[in-house]
Amino acid sequence: MFGLRYLPGVTTLQLDAELCSGCGMCLNVCPHAVLASAGHGKVAITDRDACMECGACARNCSFGALSVQAGVGCAAAIIVGALRGTEPTCGCGDGEGMSCC
Amino acid sequence: MKTADTSWFEGTVGTPAGDVPRVRTSLTSRDRRDAVALRWGIGRSAYTVPPGLYAVGSPSAESVVLVSANYKMSFDRLRRELSGIDAWILVLDTKGINVWCAAGKGTFGTDELVNRVEAADLGQVVSHRRLVLPQLGAPGVSAHEVRKRSGFQVVYGPVRAPDLPRFLSAGMKADPEMRRVRFGLADRAAVVPVEIVQGAGYALLIAALFVILGGLGPDGYRLDHVLSVGIPDAILVLGAFLGGSLLTPLLLPFLPGRPFAWKGMCMGLLVTLALWAALHGLPGTPGALALAAWLTMGSALASFLAMNFTGASTYTSLSGVRKEMRFAVPVQVVAVTAGLVFWAVARFTGQQG
């Protein structure tokens, strides 16, 4: 890890080991090495608190073994969403000059 | 329109599906100048590349297909790493947004990729059936669905474009470091200018307001107080602003705690205390209430700005930001309210700054 860690015990990431085939696709897409091979044809969540809920693993698991409530970890997006009564909305590129990314 | 800039084109490459524009792998001074301007939030929305297929070098039917976003900075970062490599670049329409953010929104996504492969007639251009995507496109793209719908296999390349040549020459194998997102000092410094540009207008407005309000006091409005109180107060506002949107991002790993709001609050207290000492000397009882006002308001402002930096960071989760906001936002509101009361009482009881 690169020294910066966010809040522990919050991620919604879930792995259903029954469905996991151990193909390793999730290991390729996770930007924070949350998962690792557990041997005997399975992966395991080995650094749960590093998960940023980007959703890459779940979207790319063809066995449906991973689930996460994906979203942007952005306070401004949560405020915008709360004001509009929608889900957290990243304003990037909406022409509002908001450019968090 | 910035898209009219054609200095990065270099002829065409003929294919069974028609001519494909070739792009240079070296950036011009204009490309670099525009990239700096983008970092400061200038011309962001207009800075796009037309979606579609491009060539670098002299690609053949066997050459690799690299997928990118139509944000010019993403595209430039890719092509400048490709000197000496023959490849195709398939640019998706991400509305001028970078790969990672676009993937989060779904514009760098399965549908757009499948449609763009079809629109470019990629099956005619290349004989293989493989697409190399930046790893950070994965939140928006479902590799198995792309395969089902287009026949193309998605291979996720490294996070950072400079690792791409090594990834390709290693037979499309990424080492673990290529798969990790970082947020080092240079990464943080690169996103700070936009934070400052976005907040500067509000910060200057609030600072100007306090310059004017500084003249208020028990014996009416006094211009000399504008100088002795208003100006120092405005400096404290700007200090807290820079503490939250410049110093907190830069010093992020060295500030205590994990919530960004907490890191920002600490920085706000520190900056306010330091500026107060510089402006009014070491804290003493006469100005205690005014100092308390600025410590609460300054720390709340810096805390709020730091909290908003979660969106520019590369490691915060939605669940985590929600959790810190449930605590931080009420505290910030109470702190600002209390600070304003302290400030007003200090002004109208004639306490100097």
Side-chain angles (χ1 to χ4, degrees), chain A:
Chain A
M1 202 49 204
F2 55 92
L4 287 167
R5 304 278 295 178
Y6 200 44
L7 312 191
V10 293
T11 181
T12 53
L13 179 69
Q14 296 288 340
L15 168 67
D16 186 339
E18 292 283 299
L19 298 174
C20 176
S21 74
C23 73
M25 192 61 171
C26 52
L27 311 184
N28 286 340
V29 296
C30 178
H32 291 295
V34 169
L35 301 127
S37 170
H40 50 272
K42 300 282 177 192
V43 302
I45 298 172
T46 51
D47 192 5
R48 167 174 291 276
D49 289 338
C51 176
M52 61 174 294
E53 300 180 323
C54 72
C57 59
R59 190 174 290 273
N60 283 279
C61 179
S62 59
F63 303 93
L66 284 156
S67 68
V68 62
Q69 286 169 33
V72 283
C74 173
I78 292 171
I79 293 169
V80 170
L83 294 177
R84 292 188 194 162
T86 62
E87 282 296 290
T89 310
C90 174
C92 326
D94 290 353
E96 298 290 319
M98 246 184 88
S99 37
C100 45
C101 46

